[in-house]
Amino acid sequence: KTGFWSKKRCCFDAYEKDIKGILILEAIIDVSGKILKLEIKNSLFKSCDESAKKAFTEAAEQGYAVLEINNKRVKYKMEYPVLFWLE
């Protein structure tokens, strides 16, 4: 696998505490597809948050999708939900 899901890391401390749920990443992407800003909009657990941010950043190293409106590339903000369900 390639992309975000292949980069996501396990959070063993969250697993031990039976932490499950969804966190929300908020990213601002520039006109070339590079991440300008990446924050946690809805936190789940510190190690899960850090794991999701690291995986998203690594998966987007070569650039994220660009957005064009009227044939012009634009900067945009997006929310990306990440589900953690460890068994």
Side-chain angles (χ1 to χ4, degrees), residues 47-64:
S47 63
C48 294
D49 296 350
E50 292 170 0
S51 174
K53 281 179 75 173
K54 183 175 181 179
F56 187 90
T57 301
E58 288 177 4
E61 280 179 345
Q62 301 302 313
Y64 203 76

Side-chain angles (χ1 to χ4, degrees), residues 25-30 34-40 53 56-57 75-78:
L25 294 173
E26 183 176 82
I28 297 177
I29 311 297
D30 75 5
K34 299 294 180 190
I35 300 170
L36 293 177
K37 188 175 183 182
L38 181 62
E39 296 182 340
I40 302 294
K53 281 179 75 173
F56 187 90
T57 301
K75 177 173 78 169
Y76 64 98
K77 180 175 16 177
M78 63 176 268

Side-chain angles (χ1 to χ4, degrees), residues 4-53:
F4 178 78
W5 295 111
S6 66
K7 305 281 185 188
K8 196 164 63 168
R9 309 288 194 270
C10 290
C11 322
F12 294 108
D13 57 339
Y15 175 77
E16 290 171 352
K17 292 179 168 74
D18 198 32
I19 303 292
K20 299 173 186 164
I22 299 172
L23 66 86
I24 307 291
L25 294 173
E26 183 176 82
I28 297 177
I29 311 297
D30 75 5
V31 296
S32 66
K34 299 294 180 190
I35 300 170
L36 293 177
K37 188 175 183 182
L38 181 62
E39 296 182 340
I40 302 294
K41 184 171 182 180
N42 183 41
S43 178
L44 178 62
F45 191 72
K46 183 174 174 130
S47 63
C48 294
D49 296 350
E50 292 170 0
S51 174
K53 281 179 75 173

